[in-house]
Amino acid sequence: MTSVLDLKHIFLQLSGCLMLGSALLLANSCDASADGTSLALHGIDTSHHNGDINWQQVQNSGIAFTFVKATDGLDYLDPTFTDHFAAARKAGLLRGAYHFYETNDDGAAQAAWFIKNVTLEPGDLPPVVDIERIKAPIKGNLHQQFETFLSLLEQHYHRRPIIYTGRKFWEHAMKEHFPGNQLWIAEYGVDQPTIPVEWASWSFWQYTEELTVPGVPTKVDGTYFNGDSRRLGEILIPVR
């Protein structure tokens, strides 16, 4: 017999599928030009520094996805995260959340803080960790701590976290570690990013920090996804 809880779970699964389908329908409109050539999907990432955002205008402008800053270290929660994260989904954007990793804080504790504050639903992008600087004193072994952080997020969200970083930092501090995670590389003013040798390709490329997008009152970071809407759909949080 189907219980009330079972029905609620089925309803949530269907809601997730409908949201995913709606968002990918929007993204699909950006996949090909009139001559059939592939076009990159565009996204942005935001935090409280971007002010009050009209997410419906963002969606109407053709932006397909967004990463919203959630947490930093052990105890910082971006004051706009909850509102931005909910509003982006309501507007029909694919959304993800990211954590700024502090090397002087415990990896497991940082993972617990992110998990406490971020609920990812079916159809959301995988969790993201931004690691781009060394802050002393490093808490324990840097690579072991970071591996613990990544593993705990993967266990909880059932997707490997995406790693956001810069090539110079990575090759200096993290070389030959974690190439199994998707790469979100940051590099501006180039035709193609130069990626760390561990990775064969990039999944996301933050190509500017000076993008103008309707609905966002400030300049915002712009990102390409390396693929079409079908490929983007394959990496999203699954229905379980």
Side-chain angles (χ1 to χ4, degrees):
M1 180 179 294
T2 303
S3 68
V4 173
L5 288 176
D6 291 333
L7 289 172
K8 181 179 180 181
H9 180 67
I10 292 169
F11 174 77
L12 290 173
Q13 287 184 318
L14 290 173
S15 297
C17 289
L18 289 172
M19 179 61 73
L20 171 59
S22 175
L24 288 180
L25 182 62
L26 167 69
N28 192 55
S29 67
C30 303
D31 281 349
S33 62
D35 62 2
T37 57
S38 177
L39 297 177
L41 297 177
H42 287 73
I44 59 174
D45 61 273
T46 65
S47 71
H48 68 279
H49 294 294
N50 300 113
D52 293 329
I53 297 173
N54 184 321
W55 288 99
Q56 195 59 61
Q57 286 187 25
V58 173
Q59 191 261 11
N60 292 343
S61 74
I63 294 296
F65 61 88
T66 183
F67 292 105
V68 182
K69 182 171 184 180
T71 52
D72 185 323
L74 297 176
D75 56 8
Y76 179 80
L77 176 66
D78 188 290
T80 62
F81 170 69
T82 301
D83 289 342
H84 280 182
F85 201 57
R89 184 178 178 88
K90 184 177 180 180
L93 284 163
L94 293 178
R95 63 178 190 174
Y98 73 91
H99 173 82
F100 191 94
Y101 191 88
E102 300 286 6
T103 58
N104 61 327
D105 289 333
D106 181 77
Q110 291 189 71
W113 177 243
F114 182 85
I115 289 168
K116 177 181 179 180
N117 288 283
V118 179
T119 299
L120 296 178
E121 302 179 28
D124 287 337
L125 289 155
V128 174
V129 54
D130 176 340
I131 182 167
E132 57 182 270
R133 72 181 185 192
I134 296 292
K135 187 175 180 181
I138 295 174
K139 184 70 174 181
N141 180 285
L142 172 59
H143 299 140
Q144 290 178 359
Q145 290 285 324
F146 194 57
E147 173 62 39
T148 296
F149 176 90
L150 294 173
S151 295
L152 289 172
L153 261 62
E154 182 177 359
Q155 291 170 23
H156 183 79
Y157 296 109
H158 302 279
R159 279 286 186 264
R160 286 193 180 207
I162 299 165
I163 295 175
Y164 170 97
T165 195
R167 179 182 61 85
K168 290 182 179 180
F169 166 81
W170 191 268
E171 292 186 346
H172 171 71
M174 308 295 289
K175 192 173 181 179
E176 299 179 356
H177 290 270
F178 318 114
N181 293 73
Q182 293 185 81
L183 173 65
W184 181 8
I185 191 72
E187 187 174 7
Y188 311 145
V190 295
D191 292 331
Q192 285 289 332
T194 302
I195 62 176
V197 295
E198 294 90 334
W199 276 283
S201 64
W202 53 272
S203 294
F204 296 89
W205 168 27
Q206 187 185 91
Y207 64 93
T208 183
E209 56 184 354
E210 295 290 328
L211 190 65
T212 299
V213 175
V216 184
T218 65
K219 299 290 186 181
V220 67
D221 299 332
T223 290
Y224 292 128
F225 174 69
N226 192 9
D228 58 16
S229 60
R230 178 194 58 77
R231 185 168 176 231
L232 185 59
E234 289 173 351
I235 74 170
L236 303 180
I237 299 293
V239 175
R240 299 191 301 277

